[in-house]
Coordinates of all heavy atoms in Angstrom, one line a residue:
M1 N 19.7 -18.5 -1.6 CA 18.7 -18.8 -0.6 C 17.3 -18.7 -1.3 O 17.1 -17.7 -2.0 CB 18.7 -17.9 0.6 CG 17.8 -18.2 1.7 SD 17.6 -16.9 2.9 CE 19.1 -16.8 3.6
I2 N 16.4 -19.7 -1.1 CA 15.1 -19.6 -1.7 C 14.1 -19.3 -0.6 O 14.0 -20.1 0.4 CB 14.7 -20.9 -2.5 CG1 15.8 -21.2 -3.6 CG2 13.3 -20.8 -3.1 CD1 15.5 -22.5 -4.4
V3 N 13.3 -18.2 -0.8 CA 12.4 -17.9 0.2 C 11.0 -17.8 -0.3 O 10.8 -17.3 -1.5 CB 12.7 -16.4 0.8 CG1 11.7 -16.0 1.9 CG2 14.1 -16.4 1.4
L4 N 10.1 -18.4 0.4 CA 8.6 -18.3 0.1 C 8.0 -17.1 0.9 O 8.2 -17.2 2.1 CB 7.9 -19.6 0.4 CG 6.4 -19.6 0.5 CD1 5.8 -19.3 -0.9 CD2 5.8 -20.9 1.0
A16 N 4.9 -15.6 -3.2 CA 6.0 -15.3 -4.1 C 7.2 -16.2 -3.7 O 7.4 -16.5 -2.5 CB 6.4 -13.8 -4.0
I17 N 8.0 -16.5 -4.7 CA 9.3 -17.1 -4.5 C 10.4 -16.2 -4.9 O 10.4 -15.6 -6.0 CB 9.4 -18.5 -5.4 CG1 8.4 -19.5 -4.9 CG2 10.8 -19.0 -5.4 CD1 8.6 -20.2 -3.6
L18 N 11.3 -16.1 -4.0 CA 12.5 -15.2 -4.2 C 13.8 -16.1 -4.2 O 13.9 -16.9 -3.3 CB 12.5 -14.3 -3.0 CG 13.3 -13.0 -3.1 CD1 12.5 -12.0 -3.9 CD2 13.5 -12.4 -1.7
I19 N 14.6 -16.0 -5.2 CA 15.8 -16.8 -5.3 C 17.0 -15.8 -5.2 O 17.2 -15.0 -6.1 CB 15.9 -17.7 -6.4 CG1 14.6 -18.7 -6.5 CG2 17.2 -18.6 -6.4 CD1 14.7 -19.7 -7.6
D20 N 17.8 -15.9 -4.1 CA 18.9 -15.0 -4.0 C 18.5 -13.5 -4.2 O 19.2 -12.8 -4.9 CB 20.1 -15.4 -4.9 CG 20.6 -16.7 -4.4 OD1 20.5 -17.2 -3.3 OD2 21.2 -17.5 -5.3
G21 N 17.4 -13.2 -3.6 CA 16.9 -11.8 -3.7 C 16.1 -11.4 -4.9 O 15.7 -10.3 -5.0
K22 N 16.0 -12.3 -5.9 CA 15.4 -12.0 -7.1 C 13.9 -12.7 -7.2 O 13.9 -13.8 -6.8 CB 16.2 -12.4 -8.4 CG 17.4 -11.6 -8.5 CD 18.0 -11.9 -9.9 CE 19.4 -11.3 -10.0 NZ 20.4 -12.0 -9.1
V23 N 13.0 -11.9 -7.6 CA 11.6 -12.4 -7.7 C 11.4 -13.4 -8.8 O 11.7 -13.0 -9.9 CB 10.5 -11.3 -7.7 CG1 9.1 -11.9 -7.8 CG2 10.7 -10.3 -6.6
K24 N 11.1 -14.7 -8.5 CA 10.9 -15.6 -9.6 C 9.4 -15.9 -9.9 O 9.0 -16.3 -10.9 CB 11.5 -17.0 -9.2 CG 13.0 -16.9 -9.1 CD 13.6 -16.7 -10.5 CE 15.1 -16.4 -10.3 NZ 15.8 -16.1 -11.6
S25 N 8.5 -15.6 -8.9 CA 7.1 -15.7 -9.1 C 6.4 -14.8 -8.1 O 7.0 -14.6 -6.9 CB 6.6 -17.1 -9.0 OG 6.8 -17.6 -7.7
N26 N 5.3 -14.3 -8.4 CA 4.5 -13.4 -7.5 C 3.0 -13.5 -7.8 O 2.6 -12.9 -8.7 CB 5.0 -11.9 -7.6 CG 4.3 -11.0 -6.6 OD1 4.1 -11.4 -5.4 ND2 3.9 -9.8 -7.0
A64 N 7.8 -20.6 -10.3 CA 9.2 -20.3 -10.1 C 10.1 -21.4 -10.6 O 11.3 -21.4 -10.6 CB 9.5 -20.1 -8.6
F118 N 13.2 -2.5 -2.9 CA 14.4 -3.3 -3.0 C 14.3 -4.5 -4.0 O 15.1 -5.3 -4.2 CB 14.9 -3.9 -1.6 CG 15.6 -2.7 -0.8 CD1 14.8 -1.7 -0.3 CD2 16.9 -2.7 -0.6 CE1 15.4 -0.6 0.4 CE2 17.5 -1.7 0.1 CZ 16.8 -0.6 0.6
I119 N 13.0 -4.7 -4.5 CA 12.7 -5.7 -5.5 C 13.4 -5.4 -6.8 O 13.9 -6.3 -7.5 CB 11.2 -5.9 -5.7 CG1 10.5 -6.4 -4.4 CG2 10.9 -6.7 -6.9 CD1 9.0 -6.4 -4.4
G120 N 13.5 -4.1 -7.2 CA 14.1 -3.7 -8.4 C 15.6 -4.0 -8.5 O 16.2 -4.3 -7.5
K121 N 16.2 -3.8 -9.7 CA 17.6 -4.1 -9.9 C 18.4 -3.1 -9.1 O 19.3 -3.4 -8.4 CB 17.9 -3.9 -11.4 CG 18.4 -5.2 -12.0 CD 19.0 -5.0 -13.3 CE 18.8 -6.2 -14.2 NZ 18.4 -5.9 -15.6
K123 N 19.0 -0.6 -6.1 CA 18.5 -0.4 -4.7 C 18.7 1.0 -4.2 O 19.7 1.6 -4.5 CB 19.1 -1.4 -3.8 CG 19.4 -2.7 -4.4 CD 18.3 -3.7 -4.3 CE 18.6 -5.1 -4.8 NZ 17.6 -5.7 -5.5
Y305 N 3.9 -4.4 -7.5 CA 4.5 -4.4 -6.2 C 4.0 -3.3 -5.4 O 4.5 -3.0 -4.2 CB 6.0 -4.5 -6.2 CG 6.6 -5.6 -7.1 CD1 7.3 -5.3 -8.2 CD2 6.2 -6.9 -6.7 CE1 7.9 -6.4 -9.0 CE2 6.7 -8.0 -7.5 CZ 7.5 -7.7 -8.6 OH 8.0 -8.7 -9.4
A311 N 5.7 -10.9 -2.8 CA 7.2 -10.6 -3.1 C 7.8 -9.6 -2.1 O 8.9 -9.8 -1.7 CB 7.3 -10.0 -4.5
A314 N 8.5 -11.5 1.0 CA 9.7 -12.4 0.8 C 11.0 -11.6 0.8 O 11.9 -12.1 1.5 CB 9.6 -13.1 -0.6
V315 N 10.9 -10.4 0.3 CA 12.2 -9.6 0.3 C 12.6 -9.3 1.8 O 13.8 -9.4 2.2 CB 12.0 -8.2 -0.4 CG1 13.0 -7.2 -0.1 CG2 12.0 -8.5 -1.9
W318 N 13.7 -12.5 3.4 CA 15.1 -12.8 3.0 C 16.2 -11.9 3.7 O 17.2 -12.5 4.2 CB 15.2 -12.5 1.5 CG 16.6 -12.6 0.9 CD1 17.3 -13.8 0.7 CD2 17.3 -11.6 0.2 NE1 18.5 -13.4 0.1 CE2 18.5 -12.1 -0.3 CE3 17.1 -10.2 -0.1 CZ2 19.4 -11.4 -1.0 CZ3 17.9 -9.5 -0.8 CH2 19.1 -10.1 -1.3

Side-chain angles (χ1 to χ4, degrees):
M1 189 196 293
I2 303 187
V3 178
L4 165 67
I17 293 288
L18 202 73
I19 304 185
D20 294 334
K22 289 191 191 71
V23 178
K24 293 294 172 186
S25 63
N26 184 39
F118 284 70
I119 290 172
K121 247 195 208 139
K123 320 277 183 220
Y305 305 121
V315 163
W318 173 63

